Amino acid sequence: MVRITIDEQTLEVEAGSTVLQAAERLGIDIPTFCYMKRLPALASCRMCLVEIEGQRRLQPSCATVATDGMVVRTNTPLVEETRSSMLDMLLANHPLDCPICDKGGECELQNQVMAYGPRESRFRDAKRVFHSEDIRLSPVIIMNVNRCIQCQRCVRMCEEVVGAVALGTVEKGMDTAVTGFEGSLASCDQCGNCVEVCPVGALMSFPYRYKARPWDLDETDTVCPHCGTGCQLTVGTRKGEFMRVRSKWDEGLNRETLCVRGRFGLDFVASLDRIKQPMVRRDGALVAVSWDEAGNYLRRRLSAVEKRAAGGLASPRLPNEVLYQFQKLMRTVFRTNNIDCSSRWSTPVETLGPLVAGFYTRAPLQEVIGDACVLVVGGNVTEENPVTEYLLRDGARRRQTELLILSARPSRLDADARAVVRVLPGGEAESLAAVVASVLAAGQDLPDDVLADIVATTGWPPAAIHGEEQDPLATALLGGRRVTVLVSVEVLRSPRARAALQQLNNLLQVLSLLGKDPKMQFLFDRANQMGAWDMGVLPATLPGFAALADGAARATLEQSWSAKIPSEAGVDFDAMLELCNQGQMGALYIAGSDPLMSYPDRAFVQRALGAADLLIVQDAFLTDTAGLADVVLPAASYGEEAGTFTNNEGRTQKVCKFREPVAEARGNLAIFDFVAALQSQALRPSAQTEIFDEIARLVPAYEGLTQDGLGADGAFTRAALAPSVGRFFAPPPVPIATDRLMLVTGNCLFHNGYLSERSKILNTVADDPYVAMGAWDAAQLGLSDGDQVVVQSAQGELTAKLKVDRRFPRGLVFIPENYRALRLNSLMRRGEYPCPVDVQKAHAAVEITTVAGTGAGAETLGQDAAGRSP
């Protein structure tokens, strides 16, 4: 610690702290323009100059390290004159168009001129003008370069934090101008972080332009709904109408940054596709009715199927309180444990449980990665969890994080990794097994009896343990640091997920035995997937990951709920669909999910949903699944009801209401009460705050949490169990081999599931579906970037534009899952992922815009030039 005195106030600060940081702790305001808290000091704007005893010249406080005994003055006449002169120089060329500038009212230059600026300018020359009109750099970003004060914040944010390198500077001195390369932002993520950090109105949000003034807005702090990173953001509305999103430095793990989906993709709440009143099926068509009519219809239908099997599917985008109440409704009113929260894969709970109980760490991501060796398994962090990528890049560049990547898809983060291993699509299990074997081979600290036991348990031959080749990932993992593993949802999609999770468990156990203190977190692409698991929206797991077979856990819930819970294990969503297809499903209740678009084998899902005696869909939007329903109940969307999300870190945060539900839509909790009442039952408690209190009382990880205690940054749930170390190693998987092109899917950078496709703004950025593959495969097939190609599987085919990515490995094809028009799941079969496909150039006469299924129940969705179905 060092002692420093600033303006007659003395305090102790940590060694390495700057004068600016010390002044902030004392509450002393020192103006800045170029300074950014998350980046090293640039010291170019000279606004933060201060006097330091013993120094002949003024020094930039942002770049001056405090030393013991240092005496600093921030408000001397010389300092004040210097600040005033600097502002006068900025105003010499700055256009005085505050009345029409979007930054008016929250402009840092405006504020600092009022606080420190000259009352009269000494400059009389004509102002420098770069362009007479604003430049539209992208669909969402517009620039007025004349207003730029050359602070470089936007350039540094783009390059050093986002990693896009889409902005740069030209010329020098007072003629310096920030620009997109070749006058555009072709390489840009469209995230708008440059707009956020711009202190003036040089970079602006085009969708928000001229819509409102800051003082017109009602602002609500909430959490982004687009992925599991859990970014804090502030929504601005005017008279209930959505206006914009901004972010704050001092709140949330994202610290001022957002991705394109979070900043520009929240206008989906105002989609024209909203369900405005209840609907029931009459004469084969959905007909709008009142809530009373829907209730009478639903009561009759529920009575007719009450002795048959029931099942429920809830979206992991819903708040914790809604998910908790949904599983309570299904277990106590519908009397079933057939409950699931994923419409894209079947969760291997028996493998997942030990991982969550033993290694999943509920702690800040920045703390978990810190100076650790971080292994990212599967997926593409850049596109699935962009802000998580920013944090990982920051760790790799500035915080001594060693980054390792094991995945089929390349990402921008590869450039910052120490080692990258490309795997075959769906081959994570084999690659993890190879890493385990290599770690064991070099694990001299493991006792011989442990090695012998592993060999005996797994069936690995001793040669695999004591081989000579060292895996690059194993070399890094054994490098002496603690280890963190981040697991993508890509690993969960495959039928081989169980094997991959088993090998991951093997690796974590071995690293634990070697003293590496391994930790694990997931990289979920849905906002509340962790919360959905915690709330017990699983067929064999109660809230808090308690096994359904645990009689004591079941009895505790029964006593609190004043209702019995069936003891028979439920089935996952895939098995529910099978029950439907066999004519054994009475009522199937789907809340906020669209499995007809997302679950593999669209034709099978359509037949299954149509075969259920009673299909109830509760949603905010008229989805494809809602189009098949017998009863449609209009629900509140994101931002129309309060609740909490639990992000990938295990951090529980408030989701706040900023608008009213449209038309006759009701909150999800109110609809559950409505349905329970039709069965002459009541769910108690039913208010959001009371449900949260019950969760905090009954779910161990949430014990002690309070709504008021969540605060701006949320609060962390607790690990329920201590890591367990035992000799329960799984055998290595049987290797897979294929010479076919293999299709994988996931989110693209600009969309997240089908929710974001309802955003008009995001559709202006990326509205065209595409197929991505590597340059070698494209050359072998005679294809070029931009060609229309047909992707064909055993199930069907689709046509889209080709994107050739030179980083893609051979054999890999990627199609984003985010475009409803493609109906991508028609290509896939249940239990098969990745999907073998053929790719060829589309015939000029054929204009197939979406999937044409080939089996029973297939849909004819396109025609060729002669009018024939493809």
Side-chain angles (χ1 to χ4, degrees), residues 734-796:
V734 176
I736 58 172
T738 179
D739 56 359
R740 297 283 304 277
L741 292 173
M742 302 301 286
L743 167 66
V744 298
T745 187
N747 294 307
C748 66
L749 178 63
F750 302 107
H751 285 294
N752 179 272
Y754 301 104
L755 190 65
S756 63
E757 204 182 8
R758 292 180 165 87
S759 162
K760 286 184 178 180
I761 299 175
L762 290 182
N763 285 336
T764 65
V765 175
D767 61 342
D768 295 326
Y770 62 89
V771 177
M773 67 189 310
W776 189 90
D777 288 325
Q780 291 296 107
L781 296 170
L783 302 174
S784 301
D785 190 70
D787 285 348
Q788 287 291 115
V789 296
V790 177
V791 182
Q792 196 167 37
S793 74
Q795 295 286 97

Side-chain angles (χ1 to χ4, degrees), residues 48 67-68 118 127 164 190 265 284-285 309 337 386 408 446 548 595 687 766 804 815 820:
C48 69
T67 59
D68 199 42
K127 294 180 181 289
Q190 316 295 341
N337 288 311
L446 287 175
L548 181 66
V804 176
I815 302 177
R820 285 176 289 170

Side-chain angles (χ1 to χ4, degrees), residues 562-849:
S562 300
K564 287 288 184 182
I565 298 173
S567 58
E568 301 83 12
V571 297
D572 62 20
F573 185 63
D574 185 78
M576 287 185 237
L577 291 175
E578 194 60 56
L579 288 175
C580 291
N581 218 29
Q582 295 170 3
Q584 299 178 25
M585 180 64 77
L588 182 61
Y589 196 152
I590 299 178
S593 193
D594 189 9
L596 185 56
M597 285 302 304
S598 58
Y599 203 75
D601 198 337
R602 182 182 176 93
F604 169 77
V605 177
Q606 186 169 11
R607 289 195 305 271
L609 296 179
D613 288 346
L614 174 61
L615 178 60
I616 307 167
V617 174
Q618 175 176 322
D619 210 319
F621 302 95
L622 191 58
T623 63
D624 284 22
T625 300
L628 298 178
D630 296 295
V631 181
V632 178
L633 305 175
S637 177
Y638 166 80
E640 295 173 354
E641 61 184 348
T644 57
F645 285 164
T646 302
N647 76 342
N648 297 343
E649 307 167 299
R651 184 196 307 246
T652 299
Q653 304 175 96
K654 290 181 182 178
V655 182
C656 297
K657 179 177 179 178
F658 57 80
R659 54 177 275 148
E660 293 298 322
V662 300
E664 296 182 35
R666 294 182 179 179
N668 284 284
L669 296 174
I671 296 176
F672 295 156
D673 289 343
F674 172 79
V675 173
L678 297 177
Q679 299 286 74
S680 301
Q681 297 190 50
L683 296 175
R684 294 288 183 267
S686 59
Q688 180 264 324
T689 54
E690 295 173 345
I691 295 170
F692 181 86
D693 291 342
E694 181 171 290
I695 292 169
R697 189 176 74 252
L698 297 177
V699 180
Y702 293 69
E703 185 178 352
L705 295 185
T706 63
Q707 288 267 8
D708 292 339
L710 295 184
D713 291 337
F716 278 90
T717 53
R718 302 184 306 168
L721 299 175
S724 55
V725 177
R727 299 178 184 179
F728 40 88
F729 292 89
V734 176
I736 58 172
T738 179
D739 56 359
R740 297 283 304 277
L741 292 173
M742 302 301 286
L743 167 66
V744 298
T745 187
N747 294 307
C748 66
L749 178 63
F750 302 107
H751 285 294
N752 179 272
Y754 301 104
L755 190 65
S756 63
E757 204 182 8
R758 292 180 165 87
S759 162
K760 286 184 178 180
I761 299 175
L762 290 182
N763 285 336
T764 65
V765 175
D767 61 342
D768 295 326
Y770 62 89
V771 177
M773 67 189 310
W776 189 90
D777 288 325
Q780 291 296 107
L781 296 170
L783 302 174
S784 301
D785 190 70
D787 285 348
Q788 287 291 115
V789 296
V790 177
V791 182
Q792 196 167 37
S793 74
Q795 295 286 97
E797 65 182 33
L798 61 80
T799 300
K801 183 172 68 174
L802 179 66
K803 282 188 178 181
V804 176
D805 190 326
R806 297 188 180 279
R807 301 172 303 164
F808 264 45
R810 295 183 185 182
L812 177 65
V813 177
F814 172 76
I815 302 177
E817 66 179 0
N818 315 117
Y819 296 96
R820 285 176 289 170
L822 283 185
R823 298 186 175 178
L824 177 64
N825 61 336
S826 292
L827 266 66
M828 300 177 179
R829 287 190 292 208
R830 295 163 59 222
E832 179 184 68
Y833 185 87
C835 174
V837 294
D838 295 313
V839 180
Q840 60 186 3
K841 194 168 185 176
H843 192 276
V846 179
E847 295 183 356
I848 306 169
T849 58

Side-chain angles (χ1 to χ4, degrees), residues 352-362 368 483-485 504-513 517-522 719 721-726 728:
L352 183 70
L355 276 175
V356 173
F359 297 103
Y360 173 63
T361 301
R362 299 173 186 262
V368 170
V483 173
T484 295
V485 180
L504 182 61
N505 199 24
N506 285 352
L507 177 61
L508 292 169
Q509 287 185 84
V510 171
L511 292 172
S512 182
L513 289 168
D517 187 26
K519 295 177 172 58
M520 182 199 73
Q521 288 186 354
F522 293 98
L721 299 175
S724 55
V725 177
F728 40 88

